[in-house]
Amino acid sequence: KFSFGEYLTSIESDILRIAKIVENQLTVESYIYSKDLVSIEIIDFLSRFTNKYKETKDLINFLINFDFDKENFSDIDGERIKIFILGNADLLSDMLDNLIDNAVKHAFNSDKQKNKIKISLMTSLNDNSDNEICITVSNTGKPFPNDFKKEQFIRKGIKAGKNSGGWLWRLLYQWNN
């Protein structure tokens, strides 16, 4: 049996816990929604992003490479076409960092020469396309388990920090669509 005071203390503890969960979710959502969308030259951005990791090669246990379809990203004279997207560099970096962090934590072993991450940019700039680009991030580590479900990746209601990558991805996808 609880005394009235103990009952109120228990309720207060539950309310504080719920308030903290809501605050954490609003903090992440506020962070995302406060970001301005700007024009980003995506090839330069991805080159700088991968170079950031290459510069710290002694501190990481993987090799990283960026590649793009040079034929589709060149003009008639063979000069590279600048491709601009509407996005936010901070959020795009957060998303890519999250994928890399997950590969390091869950897919890679201790052999740096076998641990590779490849970021690719592809598109088809012809009359039949919508001029869309596709950024892929792949790695040579262990794949997802066969029984891994999308629901396990996109966690609802998780606060920023540990295990929130799928939730962040879902919020960013909803914000942009």
Side-chain angles (χ1 to χ4, degrees), residues 40-47 83-85 92 121 133 135:
I40 299 171
E41 205 292 307
I42 194 63
I43 294 174
D44 288 343
F45 173 85
L46 292 171
S47 292
I83 303 294
F84 292 90
I85 65 166
L92 188 53
L121 182 67
I133 61 167
I135 301 170

Side-chain angles (χ1 to χ4, degrees), residues 63-81:
L63 304 172
I64 189 166
N65 185 43
F66 166 61
D67 193 26
F68 61 95
D69 184 347
K70 290 163 184 61
E71 183 178 328
N72 279 333
F73 289 105
S74 297
D75 64 17
I76 220 166
D77 298 322
E79 296 294 318
R80 185 174 74 76
I81 299 171

Side-chain angles (χ1 to χ4, degrees), residues 56-177:
T56 61
K57 66 180 183 264
D58 295 334
L59 303 175
I60 57 177
N61 75 331
F62 60 89
L63 304 172
I64 189 166
N65 185 43
F66 166 61
D67 193 26
F68 61 95
D69 184 347
K70 290 163 184 61
E71 183 178 328
N72 279 333
F73 289 105
S74 297
D75 64 17
I76 220 166
D77 298 322
E79 296 294 318
R80 185 174 74 76
I81 299 171
K82 291 192 176 280
I83 303 294
F84 292 90
I85 65 166
L86 186 61
N88 182 277
D90 292 339
L91 295 175
L92 188 53
S93 291
D94 288 349
M95 293 173 73
L96 293 170
D97 284 335
N98 175 258
L99 291 173
I100 291 170
D101 288 346
N102 283 340
V104 170
K105 288 178 193 172
H106 305 292
F108 287 159
N109 60 34
S110 60
D111 187 352
K112 181 176 183 169
Q113 295 306 311
K114 290 184 179 178
N115 297 335
K116 296 178 183 172
I117 293 176
K118 182 177 181 182
I119 299 176
S120 302
L121 182 67
M122 300 172 283
T123 190
S124 176
L125 298 174
N126 60 38
D127 294 337
N128 298 328
S129 79
D130 292 330
N131 294 333
E132 294 180 353
I133 61 167
C134 177
I135 301 170
T136 60
V137 180
S138 58
N139 70 70
T140 57
K142 295 182 294 190
F144 284 113
N146 289 336
D147 62 344
F148 193 81
K149 294 183 174 47
K150 178 177 136 183
E151 291 77 25
Q152 290 170 280
F153 180 73
I154 300 174
R155 298 170 187 216
K156 298 179 181 175
I158 292 181
K159 64 182 180 169
K162 186 178 180 190
N163 299 325
S164 62
W167 185 61
L168 175 65
W169 277 84
R170 180 178 59 81
L171 282 175
L172 291 170
Y173 176 79
Q174 290 172 340
W175 183 50
N176 286 294
N177 287 302

